Amino acid sequence: MTDNKLPPEPIMDIAHLGHLEMLTPKFDQSVRFFTEVFGLTIAAEKGDSVYLRAYDDYERYSLKLTASNTNGMKHVAYRTRSPQALERRAAALKGTPFEIGWSDGDVGHGKTFICKDPDGHIIELYYDTEWYEAPPELKPSLKNQAQRFPGRGINPRRIDHWNGLAVNLSECRQFFEQYLGFRLTERIVLNDGSEAGIWLTATNKSYDFAYTRDHTGVPGRFHHVTYAMNSREEILIAADVFLENGVHIETGPHKHAVQQTFFLYVWEPGGNRVEVANAGARLVLAPDWKPITWTEEERKKGQAWGLKTIETFHTHGMPAVVHK
Amino acid sequence: MTDNKLPPEPIMDIAHLGHLEMLTPKFDQSVRFFTEVFGLTIAAEKGDSVYLRAYDDYERYSLKLTASNTNGMKHVAYRTRSPQALERRAAALKGTPFEIGWSDGDVGHGKTFICKDPDGHIIELYYDTEWYEAPPELKPSLKNQAQRFPGRGINPRRIDHWNGLAVNLSECRQFFEQYLGFRLTERIVLNDGSEAGIWLTATNKSYDFAYTRDHTGVPGRFHHVTYAMNSREEILIAADVFLENGVHIETGPHKHAVQQTFFLYVWEPGGNRVEVANAGARLVLAPDWKPITWTEEERKKGQAWGLKTIETFHTHGMPAVVHK
Amino acid sequence: MTDNKLPPEPIMDIAHLGHLEMLTPKFDQSVRFFTEVFGLTIAAEKGDSVYLRAYDDYERYSLKLTASNTNGMKHVAYRTRSPQALERRAAALKGTPFEIGWSDGDVGHGKTFICKDPDGHIIELYYDTEWYEAPPELKPSLKNQAQRFPGRGINPRRIDHWNGLAVNLSECRQFFEQYLGFRLTERIVLNDGSEAGIWLTATNKSYDFAYTRDHTGVPGRFHHVTYAMNSREEILIAADVFLENGVHIETGPHKHAVQQTFFLYVWEPGGNRVEVANAGARLVLAPDWKPITWTEEERKKGQAWGLKTIETFHTHGMPAVVHK
Amino acid sequence: MTDNKLPPEPIMDIAHLGHLEMLTPKFDQSVRFFTEVFGLTIAAEKGDSVYLRAYDDYERYSLKLTASNTNGMKHVAYRTRSPQALERRAAALKGTPFEIGWSDGDVGHGKTFICKDPDGHIIELYYDTEWYEAPPELKPSLKNQAQRFPGRGINPRRIDHWNGLAVNLSECRQFFEQYLGFRLTERIVLNDGSEAGIWLTATNKSYDFAYTRDHTGVPGRFHHVTYAMNSREEILIAADVFLENGVHIETGPHKHAVQQTFFLYVWEPGGNRVEVANAGARLVLAPDWKPITWTEEERKKGQAWGLKTIETFHTHGMPAVVHK
């Protein structure tokens, strides 16, 4: 066997989605939503930000919520598999138009390489991280869990994925494949051959993030962040909790045809879309997974059980695009 | 940064558990159990074996069931991440006492490197695999699924993990860590310092296999194979299906303290223990996961919600040990 | 206390919904749907009809499916609480425009009093019934269950309720309240004061049937029959089974605001709407339950979690109205 | 048909279980358990008692918790179907050894007839009741629900049933059948012909209470009270909430063979046993339900899926029997 006949081996340098920084123009209401209704725990506060965590996130936090005059996502952060992996990704990006540079990190994580994707979303890569240490009153009964199950609000288990809007999905996909080693698992290709949705993963989850085409032409926008629930029933219960708390339920619960995720979308008080989801036992274990391509016609069938995609799902991006 | 101060990077060469070969002295009854009650589909038949699959296994099969005069496991097979990864693992094992050698493969997979662990379990490594192609009547409605949901029996989604019995767990653990790159996620350490249970993974599942100490001193035995269900409710429904079909329910449904798996154990007609399980949204995403160690005292508390571990769980291994 | 100051005591003469007779122009396909996909069991066959049952219906059957040149409902049957109760209801209806008269019954039940409601739906009342006796191969493991859990298709537990279309709901409501003792639990009242939907019960279920206003002005039509599932998760699984079998999923799964039922609607091959539903732990236990009235404005909010009611839910009645 | 040949019609005078009064020697801890962990709401306080309610109990409360020097049940209360029904039951009991007499009622209910069963449990019967009026901050989003879903602790929906211990079950059963019109649905009969467990209902629930034989010979003791959950998954989540809060989980979650209830038993801080349960879609709709009799041998099989009944289930009654 000669190696030069074989396809190159996969880049395995990104370990997983770490956290993202969400902007909100209604900071106090957003904090109250995420803690009392959504059931996250405050793990740190600094400046205009609170750092929030789900009960089984192993890192200190998974959501940095920052007061701002708008909504949207300020940055997303991925943890690398090793210190060496971080250096390799930085080296690959060095000198490209995507490089921003090194920083000392933030609350909870150290040395960080910052870059941007072709659509302008800010991406942080880091390895050194602070493992969450629960204070005595939040110690779990089972030592293989990061924190006590809250029993408050909807109780998501961990951050799962996020979804960005982007103008040119093919460019973005290539960036994530080539520079960061993400693998495409599913996508939507329109009749004109252009990609309208892409789902990529660095793990055995079938996606760690997705990009959807932004029809406004405005770059760098945000669509939603998703937390994982243990069961579909927990999502149905969450729907009742949202209903009782006057939270805007945008669509769901239902099952996506793409990726088969059971989903529920709501808007937090700052206008950001937040999803809770459950994948059942579905994982992408194949190292050579063949991307699934959905056609325009197939997408017109709606979601898995026939629900039509709601209009705002296509029009409500963060921040809002101001037409002058 | 100098690389020589850093810990070595993880071996990422094993992609996932592929299948195992289960022996049964009651072949016809076992086939009937796995197809009609358990809900697997026959994907091939050859010689004394049938090759069975769950509806979302992407490979052709995950269970090779072989007629024999005893029960137990004949071999287990793991798929590597790439052809290169297969060569690397073979090279690492070459010349060690664990090497058995290359074979041409079997139904569904090609070139295979065979070895054994320190306890004598036979392990096959392969990369070339046959992706399952559903015949027309078994085509799924959603193209990101391997096969139509059967709606027959208990309908597990995919193979999840297996559990072996072994005499010296520390030796086995070191073998899997050093030669195959599995990572220890949890273990039981007795008061005398010996390991009584080890759980290892090559994926983001918190374990792909586990070994439990075999008190009989007989090497190479089998404890159970596990299929993943989409929800805990499906496992409760499965309990009713097993009850109605006269299947011996050994213990469960309940939640393991170790790994937090929601479980149900039954014995198939040939006497092999089979588990159905659901992990909720729990995954091990940390590339540097710190193994959880459970003490003898902690294990005495029983399972997560207090169920005492049933006696046969410690005494019923396959094949049975004959005391002369 | 003097009795003449007290409100009259409730009529407790109807025990529960027994069965209904559904017409289908595609008999063979409908039979196949109800047995293989829906998971009912054939309990009898006679003439142009098969008699079908869910696994925990205590009577011999709950659905009489009859070949016809159209779809719709031929009659609905309620069991009375006692022989005396049957006589009382017959006596009350005797000589009214609603009386049709006595019959000897049908497969599975004896002496029957037949009447019609103001909209012309045919109603049978009976007490003598044949308890289902499972043949050996369908004996359940638990003797408090009528029949073995099938593990085939979607496995509903028992018939739950049915829904008729009617032109004048207030007249129908008064008929059911006065002559049969049903109690109104919820209703929709439009801004013009007319009733657009009524839900009535004779049991602790919050409804045994509902009537929805028929905008076509054609009397006696049918909207759907509903079977009860043990859990919402079973309904989500049923959605997948329907999807895989090419069954038309009309709407759901979702939660009704009215009655809070978790629902899923499909069309069987003959065009009849069939629902599977779960009420959670909700029961109407109050003997003096105060009917809930929903306004036009409240109904515009859609279902509990915001799903808009699908257009065909208002337009697809059985049999279809032919416009000449 | 001549009425004198027919069996007498059923007594339909009891509408449902209303509430019970639980004694606790650890009042503050018990209150904290029932509000913060169990998720009940305080609806009233008076003297040494707090009155607690589940979110969809339609009456003001379902549990009166009273400080005492022991644990156990002080009384149980059933609501009658009508004022006339209350008078009829009082008249039937008047002059019997079971009569205690009329009272003016308590918080939340009016005129009450008090009696005791042959084992000495105190039973209150009432019709006039106070419907719960949620304060603004506890108003539900759906007007057919009594109170907002709490999203705090385990969130049971409503009181379901209770279980007493009694020395002579046959005498008790006859008392409830003859004087109150309860119907036996299931029972355990030992090889010596004596009844060891009885389950009776006045509703379509398969039981509103059960009595288990008290082997100590001490009369009037209490075994447990049960609240209904919407799903089995909610009970599994409740098990985690109990685990995290250090609550003693006695047994479960599992499925009873008798009545098929999915159950979980815990001990509240005062030592009283509390169950959360789900019946799936199982109801007893037959007005002439034939009681199921379980034999000694059948009971030895354990619960539905094989769990052996835990020893304390037979030995832990309230209050404890002091052996002198």
Side-chain angles (χ1 to χ4, degrees):
Chain A
M1 183 185 280
T2 51
D3 275 7
N4 57 0
K5 289 184 182 173
L6 293 172
E9 293 196 81
I11 299 168
M12 298 296 292
D13 285 347
I14 301 297
H16 62 83
L17 170 64
H19 62 265
L20 53 78
E21 181 174 5
M22 180 185 280
L23 303 178
T24 173
K26 298 192 178 176
F27 184 71
D28 291 344
Q29 293 175 54
S30 292
V31 171
R32 191 179 170 286
F33 166 83
F34 279 114
T35 53
E36 295 182 24
V37 180
F38 209 73
L40 300 187
T41 299
I42 295 178
E45 300 184 61
K46 186 182 169 189
D48 287 336
S49 302
V50 293
Y51 298 76
L52 296 155
R53 51 174 287 101
Y55 75 86
D56 209 15
D57 286 322
Y58 78 90
E59 294 181 281
R60 184 159 173 189
Y61 63 90
S62 56
L63 184 68
K64 178 181 179 180
L65 187 68
T66 299
S68 171
N69 59 358
T70 184
N71 52 25
M73 185 187 78
K74 194 161 176 190
H75 82 272
V76 59
Y78 297 98
R79 192 174 178 213
T80 63
R81 195 170 300 279
S82 63
Q84 297 91 328
L86 175 58
E87 297 296 331
R88 273 194 299 271
R89 289 311 104 211
L93 286 156
K94 203 81 192 172
T96 71
F98 310 117
E99 174 189 14
I100 294 180
W102 289 97
S103 89
D104 289 340
D106 190 0
V107 170
H109 67 94
K111 188 185 172 187
T112 298
F113 185 79
I114 311 176
C115 63
K116 61 184 175 188
D117 69 25
D119 202 68
H121 301 95
I122 303 298
I123 301 166
E124 298 191 357
L125 306 176
Y126 66 95
Y127 175 74
D128 288 327
T129 195
E130 185 182 338
W131 284 62
Y132 178 67
E133 276 293 330
E137 71 277 13
L138 297 182
K139 287 270 183 233
S141 286
L142 298 177
K143 59 207 280 191
N144 49 12
Q145 187 173 299
Q147 176 190 334
R148 211 181 131 140
F149 180 81
R152 179 187 72 245
I154 69 159
N155 307 300
R157 183 163 205 134
R158 57 166 174 76
I159 194 169
D160 189 82
H161 68 268
W162 77 282
N163 194 125
L165 292 166
V167 178
N168 187 322
L169 296 195
S170 299
E171 279 182 16
C172 286
R173 175 176 52 73
Q174 289 163 21
F175 167 82
F176 286 107
E177 290 173 337
Q178 295 172 14
Y179 289 97
L180 297 179
F182 281 93
R183 298 177 297 282
L184 181 74
T185 54
E186 305 201 15
R187 65 173 167 176
I188 298 167
V189 175
L190 301 187
N191 293 344
D192 64 7
S194 66
E195 293 178 300
I198 53 174
W199 284 258
L200 293 104
T201 189
T203 65
N204 293 122
K205 291 192 293 118
S206 65
Y207 53 124
D208 294 318
F209 74 89
Y211 274 18
T212 310
R213 187 189 295 177
D214 196 323
H215 299 284
T216 65
V218 177
R221 293 207 302 154
F222 175 62
H223 197 268
H224 67 264
V225 63
T226 303
Y227 277 77
M229 307 290 284
N230 287 307
S231 67
R232 305 199 285 197
E233 179 72 13
E234 281 191 342
I235 293 173
L236 302 180
I237 297 167
D240 277 337
V241 172
F242 290 134
L243 175 68
E244 293 290 38
N245 284 278
V247 175
H248 175 61
I249 297 176
E250 186 182 26
T251 186
H254 201 89
K255 178 178 172 169
H256 281 302
V258 178
Q259 303 287 6
Q260 301 202 12
T261 318
F262 191 74
F263 66 86
L264 173 64
Y265 292 95
V266 299
W267 294 0
E268 59 85 41
N272 292 291
R273 186 183 285 106
V274 183
E275 183 190 27
V276 286
N278 178 266
R282 187 167 190 259
L283 292 174
V284 165
L285 295 165
D288 53 348
W289 177 261
K290 295 157 185 61
I292 304 293
T293 297
W294 300 86
T295 66
E296 222 174 307
E297 186 172 85
E298 286 167 340
R299 294 305 304 133
K300 282 181 185 155
K301 290 184 188 171
Q303 301 304 326
W305 302 319
L307 182 70
K308 295 305 169 199
T309 304
I310 202 161
E311 182 61 17
T312 54
F313 204 73
H314 297 302
T315 57
H316 182 71
M318 295 114 249
V321 173
V322 182
H323 299 282
K324 301 178 186 181
Chain B
M1 183 187 277
T2 52
D3 274 7
N4 57 1
K5 289 182 181 171
L6 294 172
E9 293 197 78
I11 298 168
M12 299 296 294
D13 285 348
I14 301 298
H16 62 83
L17 169 65
H19 62 265
L20 53 77
E21 181 174 6
M22 179 186 279
L23 303 177
T24 172
K26 299 191 177 176
F27 184 71
D28 291 345
Q29 293 175 52
S30 292
V31 171
R32 191 180 172 284
F33 167 82
F34 279 113
T35 53
E36 295 184 26
V37 180
F38 209 73
L40 301 187
T41 299
I42 295 177
E45 300 183 61
K46 186 181 170 189
D48 287 337
S49 303
V50 294
Y51 299 76
L52 296 155
R53 52 175 286 99
Y55 74 86
D56 208 15
D57 285 322
Y58 78 90
E59 294 181 281
R60 185 159 172 189
Y61 62 91
S62 56
L63 184 67
K64 179 180 179 181
L65 187 68
T66 299
S68 172
N69 59 359
T70 184
N71 52 25
M73 184 187 79
K74 194 163 177 189
H75 82 272
V76 59
Y78 297 97
R79 191 174 179 214
T80 63
R81 194 170 300 278
S82 63
Q84 297 93 326
L86 175 58
E87 297 296 331
R88 273 194 298 270
R89 291 309 103 211
L93 287 156
K94 203 82 192 173
T96 71
F98 310 116
E99 175 188 13
I100 293 179
W102 290 99
S103 90
D104 289 339
D106 190 1
V107 171
H109 66 95
K111 187 186 173 189
T112 299
F113 185 78
I114 311 176
C115 62
K116 61 183 174 187
D117 69 25
D119 202 69
H121 301 95
I122 303 300
I123 300 165
E124 297 191 357
L125 305 176
Y126 65 95
Y127 175 75
D128 288 328
T129 194
E130 185 182 337
W131 284 62
Y132 178 67
E133 276 295 328
E137 71 278 13
L138 297 183
K139 287 271 184 232
S141 287
L142 297 178
K143 59 206 281 191
N144 48 11
Q145 187 173 300
Q147 176 190 335
R148 207 180 133 136
F149 180 82
R152 178 186 74 243
I154 69 159
N155 306 300
R157 183 164 205 133
R158 57 168 172 75
I159 193 169
D160 189 84
H161 68 267
W162 77 284
N163 194 125
L165 292 166
V167 178
N168 187 321
L169 296 196
S170 299
E171 280 183 16
C172 285
R173 175 176 52 73
Q174 289 163 21
F175 168 82
F176 286 107
E177 290 173 338
Q178 294 171 15
Y179 289 98
L180 297 179
F182 282 93
R183 298 177 296 283
L184 181 74
T185 54
E186 304 201 15
R187 65 174 167 174
I188 297 167
V189 175
L190 301 186
N191 292 344
D192 65 6
S194 67
E195 293 178 301
I198 53 173
W199 284 258
L200 293 102
T201 189
T203 64
N204 293 120
K205 293 192 293 118
S206 64
Y207 54 124
D208 294 317
F209 73 89
Y211 273 19
T212 310
R213 188 188 294 176
D214 196 324
H215 299 285
T216 66
V218 176
R221 295 206 301 155
F222 174 61
H223 196 267
H224 67 264
V225 63
T226 303
Y227 277 77
M229 307 289 284
N230 287 307
S231 67
R232 305 199 287 196
E233 181 71 12
E234 281 191 342
I235 292 173
L236 302 180
I237 297 167
D240 276 338
V241 172
F242 290 134
L243 175 68
E244 293 291 37
N245 284 279
V247 175
H248 175 61
I249 298 176
E250 186 182 26
T251 187
H254 202 88
K255 178 177 172 169
H256 280 304
V258 178
Q259 302 289 4
Q260 301 202 13
T261 318
F262 192 74
F263 66 85
L264 173 63
Y265 292 95
V266 300
W267 295 359
E268 59 85 42
N272 293 292
R273 184 184 285 106
V274 182
E275 182 190 28
V276 285
N278 177 267
R282 188 168 188 258
L283 292 174
V284 165
L285 295 166
D288 54 347
W289 177 260
K290 296 157 184 62
I292 304 294
T293 298
W294 301 86
T295 66
E296 221 173 307
E297 186 173 84
E298 286 167 341
R299 292 307 303 133
K300 283 181 183 153
K301 290 184 189 170
Q303 301 304 326
W305 302 318
L307 183 71
K308 296 305 169 198
T309 303
I310 203 162
E311 182 60 18
T312 54
F313 203 74
H314 297 302
T315 58
H316 182 71
M318 295 113 249
V321 174
V322 182
H323 300 282
K324 302 180 183 178
Chain C
M1 184 185 280
T2 52
D3 275 6
N4 57 1
K5 291 184 181 171
L6 294 172
E9 293 197 78
I11 299 168
M12 299 296 294
D13 285 348
I14 301 298
H16 62 84
L17 169 64
H19 61 265
L20 53 79
E21 181 174 5
M22 179 186 280
L23 304 177
T24 172
K26 300 193 176 175
F27 185 72
D28 291 344
Q29 293 175 54
S30 292
V31 171
R32 190 179 171 285
F33 167 82
F34 279 113
T35 53
E36 295 183 25
V37 180
F38 209 73
L40 300 187
T41 299
I42 295 177
E45 300 184 60
K46 186 181 170 190
D48 287 337
S49 303
V50 293
Y51 299 75
L52 297 155
R53 52 174 286 99
Y55 75 87
D56 208 16
D57 285 323
Y58 78 89
E59 294 181 280
R60 185 160 173 188
Y61 62 92
S62 56
L63 184 68
K64 179 180 179 181
L65 187 68
T66 299
S68 173
N69 58 358
T70 184
N71 52 25
M73 185 186 79
K74 193 162 178 189
H75 81 273
V76 59
Y78 297 97
R79 192 174 178 213
T80 63
R81 194 172 300 279
S82 64
Q84 297 93 327
L86 175 59
E87 297 296 331
R88 274 194 298 270
R89 290 311 103 211
L93 286 156
K94 203 81 192 173
T96 70
F98 311 116
E99 174 188 14
I100 293 180
W102 290 98
S103 90
D104 289 340
D106 190 1
V107 170
H109 66 94
K111 187 186 174 187
T112 298
F113 186 78
I114 311 176
C115 63
K116 61 183 174 187
D117 69 26
D119 202 69
H121 300 95
I122 304 299
I123 300 165
E124 297 190 358
L125 306 176
Y126 66 95
Y127 175 75
D128 288 328
T129 194
E130 185 183 338
W131 284 62
Y132 178 67
E133 277 294 329
E137 71 277 14
L138 297 183
K139 287 272 183 232
S141 287
L142 298 178
K143 59 206 279 191
N144 49 12
Q145 187 173 300
Q147 176 191 335
R148 210 180 130 138
F149 180 82
R152 178 188 73 244
I154 69 158
N155 307 299
R157 181 162 207 136
R158 56 168 173 76
I159 194 169
D160 189 83
H161 68 267
W162 76 283
N163 193 125
L165 292 166
V167 178
N168 187 322
L169 296 196
S170 299
E171 280 182 16
C172 286
R173 175 176 53 74
Q174 289 162 21
F175 167 82
F176 287 107
E177 290 173 338
Q178 295 171 15
Y179 290 97
L180 298 178
F182 281 93
R183 298 177 296 283
L184 181 74
T185 54
E186 304 201 15
R187 64 173 165 176
I188 297 167
V189 176
L190 301 187
N191 292 344
D192 65 7
S194 67
E195 293 178 300
I198 52 174
W199 284 258
L200 293 104
T201 190
T203 64
N204 294 122
K205 290 193 293 118
S206 64
Y207 55 123
D208 294 317
F209 73 90
Y211 273 17
T212 310
R213 187 188 295 177
D214 196 324
H215 299 284
T216 65
V218 176
R221 295 206 302 155
F222 175 62
H223 196 267
H224 67 264
V225 63
T226 303
Y227 277 77
M229 308 290 284
N230 287 307
S231 67
R232 305 199 285 196
E233 180 71 13
E234 281 191 342
I235 293 173
L236 302 181
I237 297 167
D240 276 338
V241 171
F242 291 133
L243 175 68
E244 293 290 38
N245 284 279
V247 175
H248 175 61
I249 298 176
E250 186 182 26
T251 186
H254 202 89
K255 178 176 173 170
H256 281 304
V258 178
Q259 302 288 4
Q260 300 202 12
T261 319
F262 192 74
F263 67 86
L264 173 64
Y265 292 95
V266 300
W267 295 0
E268 59 85 41
N272 294 291
R273 185 183 285 106
V274 183
E275 183 190 27
V276 286
N278 178 266
R282 188 168 188 258
L283 292 174
V284 165
L285 295 166
D288 54 347
W289 178 260
K290 296 155 186 61
I292 304 293
T293 297
W294 301 87
T295 66
E296 222 174 306
E297 186 172 84
E298 287 168 340
R299 292 306 304 133
K300 283 181 185 155
K301 290 184 189 171
Q303 301 303 327
W305 301 319
L307 183 71
K308 296 306 169 197
T309 304
I310 202 161
E311 182 61 18
T312 54
F313 204 75
H314 297 301
T315 58
H316 182 71
M318 294 116 251
V321 174
V322 182
H323 300 281
K324 301 179 187 181
Chain D
M1 182 187 279
T2 52
D3 275 6
N4 57 0
K5 289 183 181 171
L6 293 172
E9 293 196 82
I11 299 167
M12 298 297 292
D13 286 348
I14 302 296
H16 62 83
L17 170 64
H19 61 265
L20 53 77
E21 181 175 5
M22 179 185 281
L23 303 177
T24 173
K26 297 190 179 176
F27 184 70
D28 291 344
Q29 293 175 53
S30 292
V31 171
R32 190 179 171 285
F33 168 82
F34 279 112
T35 53
E36 295 183 25
V37 180
F38 209 73
L40 301 186
T41 299
I42 295 177
E45 299 184 62
K46 185 181 170 189
D48 287 336
S49 301
V50 294
Y51 298 77
L52 296 155
R53 53 175 285 98
Y55 76 86
D56 208 15
D57 286 323
Y58 78 90
E59 294 181 280
R60 184 158 172 190
Y61 63 91
S62 57
L63 184 67
K64 178 181 179 181
L65 187 67
T66 299
S68 172
N69 58 358
T70 184
N71 52 26
M73 185 187 79
K74 193 162 176 188
H75 82 273
V76 59
Y78 297 98
R79 192 173 178 214
T80 63
R81 193 170 302 278
S82 63
Q84 297 92 327
L86 175 58
E87 297 296 331
R88 273 194 298 270
R89 290 310 105 212
L93 286 156
K94 202 80 190 173
T96 70
F98 310 116
E99 174 189 14
I100 294 180
W102 289 98
S103 88
D104 290 339
D106 190 0
V107 171
H109 66 95
K111 189 185 172 189
T112 298
F113 185 78
I114 311 175
C115 62
K116 61 184 175 187
D117 70 24
D119 203 68
H121 300 96
I122 304 300
I123 298 165
E124 297 191 357
L125 305 177
Y126 66 95
Y127 175 76
D128 288 328
T129 194
E130 185 182 336
W131 284 62
Y132 178 68
E133 277 294 329
E137 71 278 13
L138 297 183
K139 287 271 184 232
S141 286
L142 297 177
K143 59 206 280 192
N144 50 10
Q145 187 173 301
Q147 175 190 335
R148 208 181 131 136
F149 181 81
R152 178 186 74 244
I154 70 159
N155 307 301
R157 183 163 205 135
R158 58 168 172 74
I159 195 168
D160 190 83
H161 68 268
W162 76 283
N163 194 125
L165 291 166
V167 178
N168 188 320
L169 295 196
S170 298
E171 279 182 16
C172 285
R173 175 176 53 72
Q174 288 162 21
F175 167 81
F176 285 106
E177 290 173 339
Q178 294 171 15
Y179 289 97
L180 298 179
F182 282 92
R183 298 177 296 283
L184 182 74
T185 54
E186 305 202 15
R187 65 174 167 174
I188 298 167
V189 175
L190 302 186
N191 292 345
D192 66 8
S194 67
E195 293 178 300
I198 53 174
W199 284 258
L200 293 104
T201 189
T203 65
N204 294 121
K205 291 191 295 120
S206 65
Y207 54 124
D208 294 317
F209 73 90
Y211 274 19
T212 310
R213 188 190 293 177
D214 196 323
H215 299 285
T216 65
V218 176
R221 295 208 301 155
F222 175 62
H223 196 268
H224 67 264
V225 63
T226 303
Y227 277 77
M229 307 290 285
N230 287 307
S231 67
R232 305 199 286 196
E233 180 70 12
E234 281 192 342
I235 292 173
L236 302 181
I237 297 167
D240 276 338
V241 172
F242 290 134
L243 175 68
E244 293 291 38
N245 284 278
V247 175
H248 175 61
I249 298 176
E250 187 182 27
T251 187
H254 201 89
K255 178 178 173 169
H256 280 303
V258 178
Q259 303 287 5
Q260 301 202 12
T261 319
F262 192 74
F263 66 86
L264 173 64
Y265 293 95
V266 299
W267 296 0
E268 59 85 42
N272 292 291
R273 185 183 284 106
V274 182
E275 183 189 28
V276 286
N278 178 267
R282 188 168 188 258
L283 292 174
V284 165
L285 295 165
D288 54 347
W289 177 260
K290 297 157 185 62
I292 304 293
T293 297
W294 301 86
T295 65
E296 221 172 309
E297 186 173 84
E298 287 167 340
R299 293 307 303 133
K300 282 182 184 152
K301 289 183 189 170
Q303 302 304 326
W305 302 319
L307 183 71
K308 295 307 169 196
T309 304
I310 203 161
E311 181 62 18
T312 54
F313 203 74
H314 296 302
T315 58
H316 182 73
M318 294 115 251
V321 174
V322 182
H323 300 282
K324 303 178 183 178

